[in-house]
Amino acid sequence: MANWSMEEALRMALRLEEENFTEYEKSAAEATNPGVKSMFLFLAGEERNHLKLIKDKMEQFHVKP
């Protein structure tokens, strides 16, 4: 098990969520099937929610991105 500080864990979580969000947005833009496009837009929305949660925690604990 990794021995990360809270700051490191929050920064890593933020980076991963940003990467996922970007990939889902890109995939949605490239999708030609409406169902697939909808799925990627949904996933991007979920990642957007996760980003907000992580940023809120970073602010709460005074962690800079």
Side-chain angles (χ1 to χ4, degrees):
M1 183 170 169
N3 188 21
W4 296 336
S5 69
M6 179 176 40
E7 291 86 358
E8 292 168 321
L10 285 168
R11 286 185 188 115
M12 176 180 275
L14 182 66
R15 182 180 55 80
L16 293 172
E17 295 295 337
E18 287 173 338
E19 289 174 7
N20 291 338
F21 173 77
T22 299
E23 286 301 314
Y24 291 146
E25 285 272 297
K26 180 180 173 212
S27 296
E30 294 173 357
T32 57
N33 179 297
V36 172
K37 182 180 211 66
S38 177
M39 176 191 68
F40 281 123
L41 289 173
F42 170 80
L43 292 171
E46 291 295 304
E47 297 304 311
R48 187 179 292 115
N49 292 338
H50 298 161
L51 285 165
K52 179 168 178 0
L53 289 171
I54 293 166
K55 288 177 181 178
D56 288 348
K57 286 297 174 191
M58 291 176 94
E59 184 176 320
Q60 177 184 353
F61 293 108
H62 310 288
V63 176
K64 294 182 181 179

